[in-house]
Amino acid sequence: MRIVYVDDSEFDRMAFKRLTRKFDGYEFFIFQSLDELNNNENKGNSLLIRDCYLPGKEPDYSRFKAVYFVSGSKPLPSLKSKLNIGAEQFFLKPLKQEDIASMLKGSEKSADVSLDLSYLDELSDGDETFKKEMINVFLKEVPEQISHLEGSVSERNYDQTATVIHALRTKIRTFGIIAIDELSERLEYTAKTKSFDNWKDFEKEVQNLTSELTKSALKLEQML
Amino acid sequence: MKDQKSVLLLEDSELEIRKVERAFNKLGFENKLISKTNGKEGFKWLRENQEHLPGIILLDLNMPVMDGFEFLEEVKQDPLFKKIPVVIMTTSRHPSDKLKGFERQAAGYMVKPVRYSDFLEMLSKIKHYWETSEISY
């Protein structure tokens, strides 16, 4: 697999090079700008790791198997939303070897996510433009809803948590994200009735939910 | 549908709105579909269109600003709008929500199905119900 790293800091590029020298079986490509990245042919099946704050034209993310964002501080909500950065897609600098290992593992998982698109196919009835429009709505709304859900859970706003999960369930069903269909229904009910056995477990299950949604978004993005 | 009156859809999910629009086209509904994303907007539209009230309101429960139940309560208390049949369309299967809906005089309660063909069937049933029901004003 190719791993592409983009960073305008020479120091961080050197650190990345040093950090990844023990990763055998991977091809590493390091660029200093998005323009340089865009000018290079992507052979597919690549993992992209990029700094959050880079000038230039955003790349076509559908060209990559998985995308991760790095920065010395957490990205501002506006940037997070603009770049569609999911909860599991961000890593703080300085990167560690386990971060790279986690990205590699995550990219494998993202390839494994199972979507049953029969509903969408039936709905589209062969109309690919409509199908893409629906995927774009998913890609626009789901990252915002995930961010909203994370905020509601951290504030322990149970009613809001139930409301956001409820809104996500429509998408889960439309895009056949079977793995979390039952989970989402259970989490919504738990939040709505405030019947938490263990809050930590609930938080963990919400993380599983958002993680599956993020993976599904990556997979759908690749279909555009 | 009856007298070609419009259909007011109250739904905040763009995905769901597109789904209903597509289903309307597929089923050959000639009624104009008006969509608003929350109860407050829906109410505002009703007030501004008193001469052309919709024949039916399709109502999602989970909406911001004014949710489905609040909207339903207000509509049924308003002498101008109380006769418009309101059908709840929701993913909630909980009996308490269904009861709450009927207590607030909903004309129907439809659980959004998992399959699209079932969704089309559901809308066809609403259409048939509307065309044959005496509750239309």
Side-chain angles (χ1 to χ4, degrees):
Chain A
M1 193 206 294
R2 283 162 56 103
I3 299 177
V4 181
Y5 183 73
V6 192
D7 203 315
D8 56 357
S9 153
E10 191 179 351
F11 179 83
D12 288 339
R13 289 198 303 274
M14 283 171 68
F16 183 82
K17 201 170 179 180
R18 190 172 174 80
L19 187 69
T20 52
R21 63 188 171 165
K22 286 185 183 167
F23 284 82
D24 293 329
Y26 297 97
E27 275 185 289
F28 289 93
F29 295 84
I30 300 177
F31 300 120
Q32 57 180 330
S33 69
L34 291 178
D35 289 341
E36 201 182 344
L37 169 72
N38 291 331
N39 289 335
N40 274 274
E41 187 197 350
N42 177 25
K43 289 174 186 166
N45 201 33
S46 302
L47 167 69
L48 172 66
I49 305 169
R50 56 154 291 186
D51 185 85
C52 285
Y53 299 93
L54 289 172
K57 189 178 173 237
E58 289 299 320
D60 174 5
Y61 290 110
S62 64
R63 294 160 56 202
F64 300 94
K65 184 180 178 184
V67 181
Y68 291 95
F69 298 84
V70 296
S71 175
S73 59
K74 283 193 174 180
L76 294 169
S78 54
L79 184 72
K80 208 174 161 188
S81 166
K82 185 186 161 201
L83 296 177
N84 278 342
I85 306 176
E88 295 198 346
Q89 278 181 282
F90 177 77
F91 288 83
L92 266 180
K93 285 185 194 171
L95 288 176
K96 298 181 283 296
Q97 281 192 337
E98 50 263 41
D99 292 334
I100 308 291
S102 173
M103 290 177 196
L104 290 168
K105 204 174 161 192
S107 71
E108 291 304 325
K109 271 201 220 164
S110 79
D112 288 345
V113 65
S114 167
L115 301 176
D116 174 4
L117 294 177
S118 55
Y119 188 105
L120 188 64
D121 287 336
E122 198 183 351
L123 184 63
S124 316
D125 200 18
D127 182 347
E128 284 302 310
T129 309
F130 177 77
K131 194 171 169 178
K132 284 182 179 174
E133 275 174 23
M134 294 293 272
I135 292 174
N136 275 320
V137 172
F138 182 98
L139 296 175
K140 186 184 103 189
E141 289 185 352
V142 167
E144 290 165 8
Q145 285 172 326
I146 287 177
S147 162
H148 199 179
L149 177 60
E150 287 169 347
S152 305
V153 170
S154 70
E155 289 166 12
R156 296 205 179 198
N157 183 336
Y158 309 132
D159 291 336
Q160 195 59 47
T161 300
T163 303
V164 183
I165 296 174
H166 181 91
L168 282 165
R169 278 181 53 212
T170 301
K171 294 174 179 82
I172 290 168
R173 287 188 170 180
T174 304
F175 290 87
I177 315 170
I178 305 154
I180 50 170
D181 189 18
E182 278 183 26
L183 173 69
S184 60
E185 189 165 5
R186 185 160 49 77
L187 291 177
E188 183 197 347
Y189 183 75
T190 306
K192 201 171 175 182
T193 54
K194 302 173 181 61
S195 51
F196 308 99
D197 288 334
N198 181 319
W199 176 255
K200 283 277 163 212
D201 287 347
F202 180 80
E203 275 186 317
K204 206 172 168 186
E205 287 195 308
V206 169
Q207 277 169 11
N208 288 341
L209 183 83
T210 56
S211 159
E212 284 297 317
L213 283 163
T214 305
K215 281 187 266 169
S216 304
L218 274 173
K219 191 160 186 176
L220 287 166
E221 202 168 18
Q222 287 162 4
M223 291 168 61
L224 287 175
Chain B
M1 286 188 189
K2 205 174 230 178
D3 301 333
Q4 296 303 314
K5 281 190 173 180
S6 61
V7 174
L8 176 61
L9 170 67
L10 297 185
E11 169 65 72
D12 67 323
S13 162
E14 196 180 330
L15 209 66
E16 284 299 299
I17 295 169
R18 291 195 188 202
K19 206 189 286 181
V20 176
E21 281 171 351
R22 194 149 180 100
F24 263 50
N25 286 335
K26 180 135 186 152
L27 293 168
F29 288 9
E30 287 169 8
N31 310 72
K32 192 176 173 190
L33 181 70
I34 293 132
S35 54
K36 299 289 163 191
T37 54
N38 64 61
K40 201 174 173 183
E41 271 190 34
F43 224 85
K44 186 171 171 265
W45 186 88
L46 285 174
R47 291 208 179 285
E48 289 168 358
N49 291 274
Q50 290 177 23
E51 303 302 313
H52 306 285
L53 289 178
I56 194 164
I57 299 173
L58 304 178
L59 178 69
D60 179 38
L61 291 181
N62 187 50
M63 291 181 294
V65 189
M66 182 193 268
D67 72 18
F69 286 131
E70 287 175 273
F71 172 84
L72 187 57
E73 232 169 60
E74 291 218 18
V75 156
K76 292 301 169 185
Q77 280 169 14
D78 193 310
L80 282 172
F81 313 132
K82 68 179 181 186
K83 286 184 181 171
I84 307 172
V86 180
V87 175
I88 294 172
M89 294 203 308
T90 176
T91 49
S92 174
R93 282 193 281 252
H94 293 294
S96 60
D97 279 343
K98 196 170 182 176
L99 184 66
K100 219 169 152 181
F102 285 121
E103 277 173 353
R104 284 160 181 74
Q105 300 172 57
Y109 186 97
M110 300 285 185
V111 177
K112 283 177 197 166
V114 179
R115 300 257 53 92
Y116 183 59
S117 51
D118 294 339
F119 183 67
L120 290 177
E121 196 184 327
M122 181 186 99
L123 281 182
S124 295
K125 278 181 185 165
I126 293 176
K127 183 187 180 209
H128 179 72
Y129 159 82
W130 183 19
E131 285 172 344
T132 55
S133 169
E134 289 179 2
I135 69 163
S136 294
Y137 61 104

